[in-house]
């Protein structure tokens, strides 16, 4: 019989070993394959970072060129997936649609049943390219706009913005978005990645694991917090309220403030540092300081009152808004990036698998409870 009862929410429990991502939550350090996130945010791009996550080291020039070409070549969707995107209600949330479409992708993937290392890598290329396309194409369809064909000369970040808006993105927009993709690409055993690994550990295919991960990311305690953050900023603005007074009231009502707090970080989330800076820069260049200033006031107040730090979701909200992106695309965009990490974890899980099956502490009626016949109840 098991004797150890893990703390609620498995806080502090080390549930697997992994060589992908290392976090020091007290020092505010995040690294992919040992390389500091600040260095990656400054010097890398999404393609190179994804190579690093999947293959464990930085690529040389030729490897990066080949990788980028392979990712770009994977920008293809079966027409049946486009039919699906046209057939769902336009009022459906893009996150619901993404979850369903990724599940459907498996039916059009030649490697579906093959969970070998090589097949997983091939499917990871396709999923990474296709998730970005699905998010952009559904947004066009629901707005009654024409679908934009992928541009194979563009980077992953630039192509996403191109397919979303139909306009070639500026260098600033592309770089900002690329950095956001790098920052969100992996985060150790967060809830959606854990979900993906649990599914993969049954030797289910990568599409099943990623579909489950998208479901986990959707919740407001996880990836859904970026949308909830922006909805809070909009609500405060609409009511013409002082942000500090609004948040003070939320605290009095024992409500949580989206975009703050973290299970692992007890100091600044290193990703928030970059997103705060990008939000400020975009605000200055656009001449619209409203969202940034409101965010700063809330951040200072939450820190002062509750000693809680902004997490990755807080400043991504204003950053994406300043890039002209709709609020309900924020969490799908998280998936556009996080597929890199999810795929790395599924590959790692399948490469050295054991079923993940913990125990529960039983707190129900004592055994043996009587079975009372229906007529006597
Ligand atoms: C990409 C990501 O997933 S990043 C996280 C995104 N999620 C959010 O931003 C949602 C808001 N934040 C939260 O709900 C939490 O901080 C989580 C879920 C991220 C981490 O949760 P946990 O480690 O389980 O901490 P828990 O929820 O138990 O909070 C501990 C205490 O801090 C308080 N607290 C934590 N976060 C917040 C918050 N955002 N606002 C107000 N109070 C908070 C809790 O109310 C609790 O207080 P109590 O002990 O007086 O009851
Ligand atoms: O690690 C976590 O619990 C949540 C998080 O920040 C992420 O998934 O990026």
């Amino acid at each position: 019989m098991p004797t150890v009862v893990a703390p609620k929410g498995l806080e502090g429990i080390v549930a697997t070993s992994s060589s992908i991502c290392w976090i020091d939550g007290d020092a505010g350090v995040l690294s992919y394959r040992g390389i500091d996130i600040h260095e990656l945010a400054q010097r890398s791009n999404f393609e190179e970072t994804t190579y690093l996550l999947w293959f464990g080291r930085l690529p040389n020039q030729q490897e990066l060129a080949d990788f980028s070409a392979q990712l770009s070549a994977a920008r293809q969707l079966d027409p049946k997936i486009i039919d699906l995107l046209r057939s769902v209600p336009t009022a459906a949330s893009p996150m619901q649609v993404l979850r369903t479409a990724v599940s459907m992708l498996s039916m059009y993937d030649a490697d579906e049943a093959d969970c070998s290392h090589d097949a997983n890598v091939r499917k990871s290329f396709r999923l990474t390219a296709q998730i970005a396309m699905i998010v952009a194409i559904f947004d066009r369809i629901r707005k009654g706009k024409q679908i934009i064909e992928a541009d194979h000369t563009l980077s992953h970040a630039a192509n996403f913005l191109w397919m979303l808006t139909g306009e070639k993105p500026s260098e600033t927009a592309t770089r900002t978005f690329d950095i956001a993709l790098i920052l969100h690409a992996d985060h150790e055993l967060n809830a959606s990645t854990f979900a993906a690994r649990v599914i993969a550990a049954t030797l289910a295919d990568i599409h099943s694991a990623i579909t489950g991960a998208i479901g986990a990311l959707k919740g407001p305690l996880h990836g859904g917090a970026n949308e909830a953050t922006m909805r809070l900023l909009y609500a405060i603005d609409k009511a013409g309220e002082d942000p500090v007074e609004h948040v003070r009231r939320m605290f009095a009502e024992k409500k949580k403030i989206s975009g703050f707090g973290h299970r692992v970080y007890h100091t600044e989330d290193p990703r928030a540092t970059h997103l705060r800076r990008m939000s400020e820069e975009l605000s200055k260049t656009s001449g619209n300081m409203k969202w940034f200033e409101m965010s700063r006031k809330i951040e200072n107040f939450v820190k002062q009152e509750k000693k809680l730090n902004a997490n990755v979701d807080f400043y991504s909200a204003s950053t994406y808004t300043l890039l002209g992106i709709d609020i309900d695309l924020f969490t799908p965009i998280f998936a556009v990036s996080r597929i890199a990490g999810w795929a790395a974890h599924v590959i790692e899980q399948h490469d050295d698998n054991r079923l993940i099956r913990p125990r529960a502490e039983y707190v129900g009626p004592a055994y043996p409870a009587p079975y009372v016949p229906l007529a006597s109840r």
Side-chain angles (χ1 to χ4, degrees), residues 187 190 222 262 271 312 334 338:
H187 212 246
N190 62 86
H222 189 18
H262 200 278
R271 302 164 298 178
V312 68
F334 200 142
R338 184 55 61 87

Side-chain angles (χ1 to χ4, degrees), residues 39 56 73 82 111 143 172 176 200 234 261 283:
E39 202 158 3
I82 309 276
D111 290 317
K143 290 177 174 156
T172 306
T176 304
Y234 278 138
S283 302

Side-chain angles (χ1 to χ4, degrees), residues 23 184 186-187 189-192 222 262-265 269 271 312 334 338:
I23 301 171
H184 287 83
D186 194 47
H187 212 246
L189 218 54
N190 62 86
S192 55
H222 189 18
H262 200 278
R263 178 60 70 79
V264 179
Y265 293 119
D269 179 334
R271 302 164 298 178
V312 68
F334 200 142
R338 184 55 61 87

Side-chain angles (χ1 to χ4, degrees), residues 25-312:
D26 294 327
V29 173
L30 165 61
S31 64
Y32 300 161
R33 303 282 187 184
I35 301 180
D36 194 279
I37 194 68
H38 295 307
E39 202 158 3
L40 292 169
Q42 275 157 29
R43 301 169 68 175
S44 188
N45 57 38
F46 179 71
E47 282 83 343
E48 185 184 66
T49 294
T50 304
Y51 185 108
L52 174 69
L53 289 170
W54 292 358
F55 301 117
R57 60 169 176 82
L58 289 170
N60 65 29
Q61 246 172 26
Q62 190 55 52
E63 287 166 334
L64 180 58
D66 292 347
F67 183 90
S68 305
Q70 208 173 332
L71 189 59
S72 161
R75 287 177 195 150
Q76 290 179 33
L77 279 179
D78 189 284
K80 288 278 191 298
I81 304 292
I82 309 276
D83 290 348
L84 170 85
L85 300 180
R86 287 195 192 285
S87 72
V88 297
T90 50
S93 81
M95 204 56 184
Q96 286 177 295
V97 176
L98 181 64
R99 190 189 54 209
T100 300
V102 167
S103 177
M104 188 169 168
L105 280 176
S106 73
M107 294 168 224
Y108 299 90
D109 198 299
D111 290 317
E112 193 266 333
D114 187 348
C115 292
S116 66
H117 180 91
D118 290 351
N120 277 342
V121 172
R122 286 196 298 275
K123 288 188 276 190
S124 298
F125 274 108
R126 290 196 282 274
L127 275 162
T128 304
Q130 290 166 333
I131 284 178
M133 292 177 76
I134 288 165
V135 174
I137 290 174
F138 176 65
D139 190 58
R140 305 283 304 177
I141 289 173
R142 69 175 174 161
K143 290 177 174 156
K145 294 181 179 170
Q146 239 189 330
I147 294 172
I148 306 290
E149 291 300 319
D151 182 336
H152 294 279
T153 66
L154 294 178
S155 68
H156 192 68
N159 182 64
F160 174 78
L161 295 173
W162 157 244
M163 290 188 71
L164 186 70
T165 64
E167 286 166 26
K168 289 285 151 77
S170 67
E171 257 181 55
T172 306
T174 302
R175 186 59 191 146
T176 304
F177 194 67
D178 205 13
I179 294 172
L181 293 182
I182 294 168
L183 296 173
H184 287 83
D186 194 47
H187 212 246
E188 200 220 42
L189 218 54
N190 62 86
S192 55
T193 301
F194 187 51
R197 288 192 79 129
V198 169
I199 295 169
T202 69
L203 292 185
D205 57 278
I206 191 167
H207 286 84
S208 297
I210 303 305
T211 304
I214 292 171
L217 187 72
K218 188 169 178 283
L221 294 188
H222 189 18
N226 53 14
E227 296 187 23
T229 297
M230 201 60 223
R231 289 192 204 286
L232 173 66
L233 298 185
Y234 278 138
I236 295 171
D237 185 53
K238 196 167 167 216
E241 266 189 287
D242 176 48
V244 167
E245 290 316 312
H246 188 100
V247 171
R248 195 193 300 279
R249 208 174 55 244
M250 287 179 75
F251 283 151
E253 292 164 2
K254 302 259 176 275
K255 288 185 179 154
K256 278 184 167 177
I257 318 298
S258 286
F260 288 93
H262 200 278
R263 178 60 70 79
V264 179
Y265 293 119
H266 305 294
T267 181
E268 168 119 340
D269 179 334
R271 302 164 298 178
T273 315
H274 293 273
L275 288 158
R276 185 193 295 108
R277 173 184 53 77
M278 294 196 294
S279 173
E280 182 172 18
E281 283 169 9
L282 288 174
S283 302
K284 284 185 178 151
T285 46
S286 68
N288 175 8
M289 297 300 293
K290 179 162 73 179
W291 305 122
F292 180 73
E293 282 173 359
M294 197 184 276
S295 301
R296 279 300 277 166
K297 281 184 189 159
I298 294 173
E299 185 184 23
N300 289 336
F301 182 64
V302 172
K303 179 91 188 161
Q304 173 199 308
E305 291 294 302
K306 298 275 178 188
K307 310 230 173 328
L308 288 169
N309 295 287
N311 60 45
V312 68

